[in-house]
Amino acid sequence: MADKSFSIERAIDQGIGREPADLVLKGGRFFDLVTGELVEGDIAICGDRIVGTCAEYRGAHEIDISGRIVVPGFIDTHLHIESSLVTPHEFDRCVLPCGVTTAICDPHEIANVLGLEGITYFLDSVAETVMDIRVQLSSCVPATHLETSGAELTVDDLLPFADHPSVIGLAEFMNFPGVLAKDPGCMAKLEAFQGRHIDGHAPLVRGYDLNGYLAAEIRTDHETTSAEEALEKLRKGMHVLVREGSVSKDLAALMPIITERNSPFIALCTDDRNPLDIADQGHLDYMIRTAIAAGVEPLAIYRAASISAARAFGLKDRGLVAPGWRADLVVVDSLESCRAEIVLSAGRVVSDDLFAARNPVAPVGRNSVRARRVAAADFRARSNSGRTRTIGIVPGQIITRDLEFDLPVGENGVGIDLANDVVKVAVVERHGRSGNIATGFVNGFGLKSGAIASTVSHDSHNICIVGCSDEDMALAANRLGEIEGGFVVVQDGNVLAELALPVAGLMSTASYETVRDELKTLRAAAFALGSTLEEPFLQLAFIALPVIPHLKITDMGLVDVNRFELIGT
């Protein structure tokens, strides 16, 4: 929102130097993303707008940044704030100091739980944040017909929000099989948003299928996991969003394509990072310094973090340090380290006082975990054959493998095989709609005892549990109902650690610092059970995502994603 004291007349007078600027950053250099040069000179700001560079200026307020470099504010082009486990207001306070001045979010997670109430909550919340948070309207609620969601959103539900000032367009179109099959519901949404931005979601979609998908005017993709796949998408005019989150880590694989030549069609996203990883590593600033350390040209990665991202999403007012552009700026110690020392959002210096002036929005979605109480017997895998299709975890990726194991068969059916790292996985419907429970097996968690469970389970956010004991799995599921959702670790009938997420079973009402510290306790408890995964809880969250290859599980059963159908166990 423009500063109330701003006027074009004042901007011209301050830019020309007739009167002192509202704010001047003095004595530093800025990174010119057009020429790639470091340019000396003051930066003059009037209200929320840069009005002068490459010269000396006087200011009503001046900040000495001698020896420092100014870069445009960073833009996270795809994330779900809910998956950061904190409310939009706490996300704002957590991430903005890292230099992320714009975030483009898809409230897909809360929409799958609460429907329109969730989208409305986000639109109300982003009106009260310091950083500029833009919203993409959730296109796939539910994501598929292969799971039980808490809500359904049709094109008629979405269209009333289309002209909201914080809305850009249509969020990630996850149902790529529905697009290619010309599903009527998919077609209605795509036709309604022609001419607006439509986000893609096309993991491993190549060749003719990719051509058909792009023909629907889908412009971006954050599910690219190899340089070869990325190059095909770039050649076909797709803007590739390079992702590095708490679970999905694609930066290393895609670094070869992040070049000066390609950078106008590359942007960065997290999709998503939790407060613990942000505290330990950073956010988009982490991606920038990691890429530069690996040999990526600074001009290419800084373009991807700002101007290329802005252009991809039609944000024409930001992304450069230049007169007339929005004053979203980051003062860093060096391009290589990308350590934010001062951050400006719309011309305002980010500070605790600025955050304190916001008006919080009341949380929604309390008591949304309505799963029936379960017992150990609900998790029996009854079969006469031990030959079992098993979900294979790929650390650092949400793509899973489709494996088979010969598992032991006893009086309670098929059992686990700790020697081969195969334990049970179950999904319990939690919206109070179907009461479904599905049980399968998973390889790659490393658990030796107990169970871990979560209501953060993309995309429908049913309860997902991985465990070695049916009794512990039942305790974990029931405990999640008692704390209104979240994460829990159980062993031998005892709750070792938990994090309550009572806002739709997805977000905490606590500060991001509290969530960060509780995540440390949760991780330690999961590691004590034997987990070998760096981020076991977010890895757990993607086991039930039936739009990512190859084998997944929902409350309806195992899903062969390649064939997009339910299969037997």
Side-chain angles (χ1 to χ4, degrees):
M1 182 180 295
D3 189 294
K4 292 181 180 179
S5 64
F6 176 84
S7 70
I8 295 176
E9 289 82 2
R10 292 186 67 241
I12 292 171
D13 285 341
Q14 292 184 20
I16 259 176
R18 288 192 186 118
E19 63 178 59
D22 293 346
L23 172 65
V24 178
L25 303 180
K26 294 193 68 69
R29 297 177 294 170
F30 73 88
F31 193 20
D32 180 2
L33 298 187
V34 177
T35 67
E37 298 172 312
L38 287 171
V39 182
E40 293 185 356
D42 297 341
I43 298 172
I45 297 166
C46 176
D48 62 357
R49 186 178 300 186
I50 301 167
V51 294
T53 60
C54 307
E56 291 188 7
Y57 281 93
R58 297 171 297 123
H61 180 51
E62 297 180 353
I63 301 176
D64 184 0
I65 60 165
S66 299
R68 302 296 186 261
I69 298 169
V70 180
V71 297
F74 311 138
I75 301 173
D76 189 337
T77 57
H78 179 76
L79 77 162
H80 312 277
I81 289 174
E82 310 97 304
S83 296
S84 301
L85 311 178
V86 293
T87 63
H89 280 69
E90 281 303 299
F91 176 83
D92 184 30
R93 196 170 68 84
C94 178
V95 169
L96 183 53
C98 295
V100 181
T101 54
T102 302
I104 300 172
C105 81
D106 170 12
H108 176 87
E109 317 308 339
I110 198 168
N112 266 281
V113 177
L114 302 179
L116 293 178
E117 182 184 10
I119 292 178
T120 299
Y121 167 73
F122 259 76
L123 290 173
D124 290 344
S125 294
V126 303
E128 298 294 339
T129 54
V130 177
M131 70 188 303
D132 188 19
I133 299 178
R134 298 299 179 100
V135 174
Q136 294 280 70
L137 297 175
S138 305
S139 66
C140 298
V141 179
T144 74
H145 63 286
L146 303 171
E147 56 193 327
T148 303
S149 182
E152 291 110 23
L153 295 180
T154 67
V155 64
D156 292 333
D157 295 317
L158 298 176
L159 280 175
F161 295 98
D163 294 322
H164 189 285
S166 293
V167 168
I168 292 177
L170 197 60
E172 53 180 325
F173 220 97
M174 307 175 72
N175 189 359
F176 60 86
V179 175
L180 301 179
K182 299 183 293 185
D183 172 81
C186 293
M187 292 300 101
K189 291 173 183 174
L190 291 169
E191 289 169 2
F193 282 83
Q194 293 291 290
R196 300 175 186 262
H197 185 87
I198 304 176
D199 260 340
H201 181 284
L204 305 181
V205 178
R206 307 285 297 273
Y208 283 108
D209 285 350
L210 180 59
N211 292 345
Y213 189 72
L214 295 176
E217 278 196 10
I218 296 170
R219 295 293 187 226
T220 54
D221 181 62
H222 59 274
E223 293 291 348
T224 306
T225 54
S226 73
E228 180 186 15
E229 180 185 351
L231 284 172
E232 179 180 355
K233 289 174 176 174
L234 288 172
R235 290 187 187 106
K236 293 180 176 178
M238 206 172 202
H239 211 109
V240 172
L241 313 182
V242 177
R243 172 176 60 186
E244 187 76 5
S246 289
V247 172
S248 302
K249 302 177 186 294
D250 304 317
L251 177 61
L254 298 181
M255 279 185 192
I257 69 156
I258 307 175
T259 65
E260 182 178 341
R261 176 173 291 185
N262 294 338
S263 59
F265 293 92
I266 295 172
L268 307 181
C269 73
T270 55
D271 190 35
D272 304 282
R273 293 180 76 80
N274 64 46
L276 179 53
D277 287 341
I278 294 168
D280 289 346
Q281 299 175 329
H283 204 261
L284 293 187
D285 55 323
Y286 167 76
M287 294 184 70
I288 293 168
R289 59 178 162 266
T290 300
I292 293 174
V296 172
E297 303 157 287
L299 179 58
I301 194 70
Y302 275 98
R303 278 179 176 172
S306 53
I307 184 61
S308 298
R311 286 177 170 169
F313 286 84
L315 301 175
K316 299 178 180 180
D317 62 344
R318 68 200 69 189
L320 290 178
V321 182
W325 292 70
R326 180 180 164 102
D328 287 346
L329 302 170
V330 187
V331 180
V332 298
D333 52 354
S334 71
L335 295 180
E336 293 76 16
S337 67
C338 193
R339 304 283 179 186
E341 297 189 351
I342 301 171
V343 179
L344 278 73
S345 175
R348 301 163 297 176
V349 177
V350 173
S351 65
D352 289 341
D353 289 343
L354 199 56
F355 289 127
R358 302 168 305 167
N359 296 310
V361 175
V364 295
R366 300 299 299 264
N367 300 304
S368 65
V369 181
R370 303 185 181 96
R372 63 181 176 88
R373 289 190 67 82
V374 298
D378 290 316
F379 301 114
R380 304 288 190 252
R382 304 197 182 279
S383 173
N384 295 323
S385 172
R387 192 68 179 169
T388 304
R389 289 179 77 168
T390 301
I391 299 168
I393 297 298
V394 180
Q397 301 224 354
I398 59 177
I399 289 174
T400 54
R401 295 179 291 169
D402 187 346
L403 307 175
E404 280 195 354
F405 285 89
D406 285 313
L407 301 178
V409 180
E411 61 180 19
N412 290 323
V414 182
I416 64 175
D417 182 356
L418 295 182
N420 286 305
D421 193 11
V422 178
V423 298
K424 282 187 178 178
V425 58
V427 178
V428 178
E429 189 273 321
R430 67 103 152 178
H431 304 289
R433 306 184 86 182
S434 68
N436 289 340
I437 299 177
T439 301
F441 292 87
V442 63
N443 163 262
F445 263 86
L447 293 188
K448 300 299 183 185
S449 64
I452 66 174
S454 172
T455 54
V456 179
S457 180
H458 305 286
D459 279 316
S460 292
H461 299 289
N462 292 305
I463 294 171
C464 192
I465 318 153
V466 168
C468 304
S469 157
D470 295 342
E471 289 75 16
D472 283 345
M473 292 174 72
L475 173 59
N478 292 330
R479 182 58 184 161
L480 287 174
E482 294 166 359
I483 64 173
E484 299 185 67
F487 301 131
V488 64
V489 181
V490 170
Q491 184 181 43
D492 298 331
N494 298 304
V495 176
L496 302 185
E498 63 187 26
L499 169 59
L501 302 175
V503 183
L506 301 172
M507 293 175 282
S508 174
T509 56
S511 68
Y512 79 82
E513 293 94 343
T514 298
V515 173
R516 176 196 64 204
D517 293 343
E518 291 184 349
L519 282 172
K520 291 180 182 178
T521 303
L522 275 165
R523 280 187 182 177
F527 295 155
L529 300 186
S531 175
T532 55
L533 295 172
E534 180 182 348
E535 182 41 86
F537 295 96
L538 287 184
Q539 197 91 51
L540 175 65
F542 288 100
I543 291 179
L545 181 56
V547 294
I548 297 290
H550 295 278
L551 188 64
K552 295 293 193 290
I553 185 171
T554 74
D555 65 298
M556 296 182 182
L558 279 178
V559 178
D560 184 329
V561 182
N562 299 328
R563 299 171 63 182
F564 215 55
E565 64 183 24
L566 292 164
I567 60 176
T569 57

PDB file of all heavy atoms in Angstrom, residues 9-21 44 51-52 55-58:
ATOM      1  N   GLU A   9       4.213  14.694  -7.122  1.00  0.00           N
ATOM      2  CA  GLU A   9       4.893  15.983  -7.068  1.00  0.00           C
ATOM      3  C   GLU A   9       6.061  15.935  -6.098  1.00  0.00           C
ATOM      4  O   GLU A   9       7.175  16.399  -6.411  1.00  0.00           O
ATOM      5  CB  GLU A   9       3.912  17.085  -6.659  1.00  0.00           C
ATOM      6  CG  GLU A   9       2.893  17.437  -7.730  1.00  0.00           C
ATOM      7  CD  GLU A   9       1.706  16.473  -7.751  1.00  0.00           C
ATOM      8  OE1 GLU A   9       1.669  15.551  -6.900  1.00  0.00           O
ATOM      9  OE2 GLU A   9       0.842  16.631  -8.630  1.00  0.00           O
ATOM     10  N   ARG A  10       5.844  15.371  -4.900  1.00  0.00           N
ATOM     11  CA  ARG A  10       6.918  15.257  -3.908  1.00  0.00           C
ATOM     12  C   ARG A  10       8.014  14.341  -4.425  1.00  0.00           C
ATOM     13  O   ARG A  10       9.206  14.584  -4.206  1.00  0.00           O
ATOM     14  CB  ARG A  10       6.377  14.732  -2.580  1.00  0.00           C
ATOM     15  CG  ARG A  10       5.448  15.706  -1.856  1.00  0.00           C
ATOM     16  CD  ARG A  10       5.069  15.175  -0.477  1.00  0.00           C
ATOM     17  NE  ARG A  10       6.212  15.139   0.413  1.00  0.00           N
ATOM     18  CZ  ARG A  10       6.718  14.047   0.982  1.00  0.00           C
ATOM     19  NH1 ARG A  10       6.184  12.860   0.731  1.00  0.00           N
ATOM     20  NH2 ARG A  10       7.757  14.118   1.798  1.00  0.00           N
ATOM     21  N   ALA A  11       7.622  13.242  -5.086  1.00  0.00           N
ATOM     22  CA  ALA A  11       8.616  12.304  -5.609  1.00  0.00           C
ATOM     23  C   ALA A  11       9.525  12.991  -6.631  1.00  0.00           C
ATOM     24  O   ALA A  11      10.756  12.803  -6.613  1.00  0.00           O
ATOM     25  CB  ALA A  11       7.910  11.109  -6.237  1.00  0.00           C
ATOM     26  N   ILE A  12       8.933  13.815  -7.501  1.00  0.00           N
ATOM     27  CA  ILE A  12       9.730  14.515  -8.516  1.00  0.00           C
ATOM     28  C   ILE A  12      10.676  15.506  -7.842  1.00  0.00           C
ATOM     29  O   ILE A  12      11.866  15.565  -8.165  1.00  0.00           O
ATOM     30  CB  ILE A  12       8.805  15.225  -9.523  1.00  0.00           C
ATOM     31  CG1 ILE A  12       8.051  14.185 -10.367  1.00  0.00           C
ATOM     32  CG2 ILE A  12       9.616  16.175 -10.412  1.00  0.00           C
ATOM     33  CD1 ILE A  12       6.959  14.775 -11.231  1.00  0.00           C
ATOM     34  N   ASP A  13      10.155  16.263  -6.888  1.00  0.00           N
ATOM     35  CA  ASP A  13      10.989  17.259  -6.212  1.00  0.00           C
ATOM     36  C   ASP A  13      12.140  16.601  -5.459  1.00  0.00           C
ATOM     37  O   ASP A  13      13.282  17.092  -5.488  1.00  0.00           O
ATOM     38  CB  ASP A  13      10.143  18.086  -5.235  1.00  0.00           C
ATOM     39  CG  ASP A  13       9.269  19.104  -5.948  1.00  0.00           C
ATOM     40  OD1 ASP A  13       9.568  19.427  -7.117  1.00  0.00           O
ATOM     41  OD2 ASP A  13       8.285  19.573  -5.336  1.00  0.00           O
ATOM     42  N   GLN A  14      11.879  15.479  -4.819  1.00  0.00           N
ATOM     43  CA  GLN A  14      12.949  14.806  -4.083  1.00  0.00           C
ATOM     44  C   GLN A  14      13.932  14.124  -5.032  1.00  0.00           C
ATOM     45  O   GLN A  14      15.133  14.089  -4.772  1.00  0.00           O
ATOM     46  CB  GLN A  14      12.339  13.785  -3.108  1.00  0.00           C
ATOM     47  CG  GLN A  14      11.571  14.442  -1.970  1.00  0.00           C
ATOM     48  CD  GLN A  14      11.055  13.451  -0.945  1.00  0.00           C
ATOM     49  OE1 GLN A  14      11.543  12.333  -0.838  1.00  0.00           O
ATOM     50  NE2 GLN A  14      10.049  13.864  -0.160  1.00  0.00           N
ATOM     51  N   GLY A  15      13.423  13.572  -6.131  1.00  0.00           N
ATOM     52  CA  GLY A  15      14.320  12.941  -7.094  1.00  0.00           C
ATOM     53  C   GLY A  15      15.256  13.932  -7.754  1.00  0.00           C
ATOM     54  O   GLY A  15      16.443  13.633  -8.005  1.00  0.00           O
ATOM     55  N   ILE A  16      14.737  15.123  -8.036  1.00  0.00           N
ATOM     56  CA  ILE A  16      15.551  16.170  -8.667  1.00  0.00           C
ATOM     57  C   ILE A  16      16.496  16.818  -7.666  1.00  0.00           C
ATOM     58  O   ILE A  16      17.490  17.423  -8.040  1.00  0.00           O
ATOM     59  CB  ILE A  16      14.592  17.211  -9.288  1.00  0.00           C
ATOM     60  CG1 ILE A  16      14.474  16.995 -10.775  1.00  0.00           C
ATOM     61  CG2 ILE A  16      14.970  18.614  -9.010  1.00  0.00           C
ATOM     62  CD1 ILE A  16      13.477  17.909 -11.435  1.00  0.00           C
ATOM     63  N   GLY A  17      16.188  16.655  -6.374  1.00  0.00           N
ATOM     64  CA  GLY A  17      17.016  17.254  -5.333  1.00  0.00           C
ATOM     65  C   GLY A  17      16.552  18.618  -4.896  1.00  0.00           C
ATOM     66  O   GLY A  17      17.272  19.338  -4.183  1.00  0.00           O
ATOM     67  N   ARG A  18      15.348  19.019  -5.284  1.00  0.00           N
ATOM     68  CA  ARG A  18      14.822  20.332  -4.870  1.00  0.00           C
ATOM     69  C   ARG A  18      14.549  20.377  -3.378  1.00  0.00           C
ATOM     70  O   ARG A  18      14.627  21.442  -2.752  1.00  0.00           O
ATOM     71  CB  ARG A  18      13.516  20.629  -5.607  1.00  0.00           C
ATOM     72  CG  ARG A  18      13.653  20.944  -7.077  1.00  0.00           C
ATOM     73  CD  ARG A  18      12.344  21.494  -7.623  1.00  0.00           C
ATOM     74  NE  ARG A  18      12.418  21.665  -9.060  1.00  0.00           N
ATOM     75  CZ  ARG A  18      11.643  21.027  -9.930  1.00  0.00           C
ATOM     76  NH1 ARG A  18      10.729  20.161  -9.490  1.00  0.00           N
ATOM     77  NH2 ARG A  18      11.782  21.247 -11.213  1.00  0.00           N
ATOM     78  N   GLU A  19      14.175  19.231  -2.831  1.00  0.00           N
ATOM     79  CA  GLU A  19      13.910  19.157  -1.390  1.00  0.00           C
ATOM     80  C   GLU A  19      14.494  17.846  -0.866  1.00  0.00           C
ATOM     81  O   GLU A  19      14.743  16.914  -1.634  1.00  0.00           O
ATOM     82  CB  GLU A  19      12.414  19.231  -1.103  1.00  0.00           C
ATOM     83  CG  GLU A  19      11.606  18.079  -1.667  1.00  0.00           C
ATOM     84  CD  GLU A  19      10.130  18.200  -1.301  1.00  0.00           C
ATOM     85  OE1 GLU A  19       9.493  19.217  -1.664  1.00  0.00           O
ATOM     86  OE2 GLU A  19       9.625  17.250  -0.653  1.00  0.00           O
ATOM     87  N   PRO A  20      14.775  17.789   0.428  1.00  0.00           N
ATOM     88  CA  PRO A  20      15.362  16.565   0.987  1.00  0.00           C
ATOM     89  C   PRO A  20      14.434  15.374   0.793  1.00  0.00           C
ATOM     90  O   PRO A  20      13.207  15.492   0.886  1.00  0.00           O
ATOM     91  CB  PRO A  20      15.541  16.899   2.471  1.00  0.00           C
ATOM     92  CG  PRO A  20      15.552  18.386   2.545  1.00  0.00           C
ATOM     93  CD  PRO A  20      14.627  18.849   1.455  1.00  0.00           C
ATOM     94  N   ALA A  21      15.020  14.234   0.522  1.00  0.00           N
ATOM     95  CA  ALA A  21      14.233  13.003   0.425  1.00  0.00           C
ATOM     96  C   ALA A  21      13.759  12.582   1.805  1.00  0.00           C
ATOM     97  O   ALA A  21      14.320  12.991   2.833  1.00  0.00           O
ATOM     98  CB  ALA A  21      15.078  11.897  -0.203  1.00  0.00           C
ATOM     99  N   ALA A  44      17.871   7.595  -2.747  1.00  0.00           N
ATOM    100  CA  ALA A  44      16.866   8.481  -2.152  1.00  0.00           C
ATOM    101  C   ALA A  44      15.486   7.843  -2.261  1.00  0.00           C
ATOM    102  O   ALA A  44      15.128   7.268  -3.297  1.00  0.00           O
ATOM    103  CB  ALA A  44      16.875   9.832  -2.856  1.00  0.00           C
ATOM    104  N   VAL A  51      13.426   7.280  -5.489  1.00  0.00           N
ATOM    105  CA  VAL A  51      13.322   8.439  -6.386  1.00  0.00           C
ATOM    106  C   VAL A  51      14.672   8.902  -6.899  1.00  0.00           C
ATOM    107  O   VAL A  51      14.744   9.767  -7.789  1.00  0.00           O
ATOM    108  CB  VAL A  51      12.598   9.625  -5.706  1.00  0.00           C
ATOM    109  CG1 VAL A  51      11.137   9.265  -5.439  1.00  0.00           C
ATOM    110  CG2 VAL A  51      13.294  10.043  -4.412  1.00  0.00           C
ATOM    111  N   GLY A  52      15.772   8.353  -6.375  1.00  0.00           N
ATOM    112  CA  GLY A  52      17.071   8.795  -6.853  1.00  0.00           C
ATOM    113  C   GLY A  52      18.172   7.784  -6.599  1.00  0.00           C
ATOM    114  O   GLY A  52      18.194   7.134  -5.552  1.00  0.00           O
ATOM    115  N   ALA A  55      23.780   9.393  -7.408  1.00  0.00           N
ATOM    116  CA  ALA A  55      24.046  10.796  -7.115  1.00  0.00           C
ATOM    117  C   ALA A  55      24.093  10.974  -5.597  1.00  0.00           C
ATOM    118  O   ALA A  55      23.846  10.029  -4.845  1.00  0.00           O
ATOM    119  CB  ALA A  55      22.961  11.684  -7.734  1.00  0.00           C
ATOM    120  N   GLU A  56      24.389  12.222  -5.172  1.00  0.00           N
ATOM    121  CA  GLU A  56      24.373  12.526  -3.739  1.00  0.00           C
ATOM    122  C   GLU A  56      23.043  13.178  -3.384  1.00  0.00           C
ATOM    123  O   GLU A  56      22.529  14.013  -4.143  1.00  0.00           O
ATOM    124  CB  GLU A  56      25.531  13.456  -3.371  1.00  0.00           C
ATOM    125  CG  GLU A  56      26.896  12.792  -3.486  1.00  0.00           C
ATOM    126  CD  GLU A  56      28.007  13.674  -2.942  1.00  0.00           C
ATOM    127  OE1 GLU A  56      27.691  14.740  -2.349  1.00  0.00           O
ATOM    128  OE2 GLU A  56      29.184  13.311  -3.114  1.00  0.00           O
ATOM    129  N   TYR A  57      22.495  12.805  -2.233  1.00  0.00           N
ATOM    130  CA  TYR A  57      21.194  13.332  -1.809  1.00  0.00           C
ATOM    131  C   TYR A  57      21.239  13.728  -0.341  1.00  0.00           C
ATOM    132  O   TYR A  57      22.019  13.191   0.452  1.00  0.00           O
ATOM    133  CB  TYR A  57      20.102  12.270  -2.003  1.00  0.00           C
ATOM    134  CG  TYR A  57      19.629  12.142  -3.435  1.00  0.00           C
ATOM    135  CD1 TYR A  57      20.207  11.219  -4.298  1.00  0.00           C
ATOM    136  CD2 TYR A  57      18.604  12.966  -3.919  1.00  0.00           C
ATOM    137  CE1 TYR A  57      19.778  11.091  -5.609  1.00  0.00           C
ATOM    138  CE2 TYR A  57      18.173  12.862  -5.233  1.00  0.00           C
ATOM    139  CZ  TYR A  57      18.761  11.927  -6.065  1.00  0.00           C
ATOM    140  OH  TYR A  57      18.330  11.821  -7.363  1.00  0.00           O
ATOM    141  N   ARG A  58      20.369  14.694  -0.017  1.00  0.00           N
ATOM    142  CA  ARG A  58      20.086  15.047   1.379  1.00  0.00           C
ATOM    143  C   ARG A  58      18.782  14.362   1.783  1.00  0.00           C
ATOM    144  O   ARG A  58      17.901  14.168   0.938  1.00  0.00           O
ATOM    145  CB  ARG A  58      19.925  16.555   1.539  1.00  0.00           C
ATOM    146  CG  ARG A  58      21.163  17.375   1.214  1.00  0.00           C
ATOM    147  CD  ARG A  58      20.844  18.857   1.198  1.00  0.00           C
ATOM    148  NE  ARG A  58      19.878  19.195   0.147  1.00  0.00           N
ATOM    149  CZ  ARG A  58      18.714  19.798   0.350  1.00  0.00           C
ATOM    150  NH1 ARG A  58      18.332  20.118   1.581  1.00  0.00           N
ATOM    151  NH2 ARG A  58      17.920  20.085  -0.657  1.00  0.00           N
TER     152      ARG A  58
END
